[in-house]
Amino acid sequence: MSIQILTAAVVRDTGVTHAVARTAVTSVFDAIARSLAVGETITISNFGTFAPVTLRERRSHNPATGAPLTAPETVVPRFRARGRLRDMVRDQDPTASVRKLPAGRYARR
């Protein structure tokens, strides 16, 4: 799934313009990335947790020459599904919703 498809889903589900939806989608991803970059953990109820994880230094080898080398310690982002998202994936139910939408303007059409 791409940002374009996510943006189209926001437009379809909320009725906002494409420009507003694109701004909202990219803002969410930017906020998550900035938080991870400074070492913060992001928890979204019934969806999951994004967290920076430190991978320890390890020994490896150059695949071309076979020469040993040391891969340095590094920080990578990790995601753990939680709640309804985990249940939806486990049950393979694409019709379910991670959250219930409020009635009115933002209700599903």
Side-chain angles (χ1 to χ4, degrees):
M1 180 173 273
S2 65
I3 294 226
Q4 290 82 8
I5 294 171
L6 286 172
T7 300
V10 171
V11 169
R12 182 190 68 234
D13 292 347
T14 64
V16 299
T17 66
H18 181 77
V20 170
R22 174 86 179 192
T23 300
V25 169
T26 56
S27 292
V28 168
F29 288 125
D30 287 346
I32 291 170
R34 282 192 304 272
S35 293
L36 288 170
V38 296
E40 294 178 350
T41 297
I42 303 96
T43 301
I44 302 170
S45 297
N46 287 315
F47 189 76
T49 301
F50 296 89
V53 176
T54 302
L55 299 180
R56 63 182 172 79
E57 183 178 278
R58 63 197 185 283
R59 292 190 336 206
S60 187
H61 68 280
N62 181 329
T65 64
L69 58 91
T70 301
E73 181 177 277
T74 187
V75 179
V76 297
R78 288 276 167 90
F79 176 75
R80 290 192 78 162
R82 301 281 187 211
R84 290 186 190 145
L85 175 63
R86 183 182 55 223
D87 297 342
M88 286 173 62
V89 172
R90 182 193 62 223
D91 299 339
Q92 295 183 348
D93 184 6
T95 61
S97 176
V98 173
R99 67 177 179 84
K100 299 198 185 303
L101 294 172
R105 179 175 176 199
Y106 297 107
R108 289 184 185 254
R109 299 188 195 302

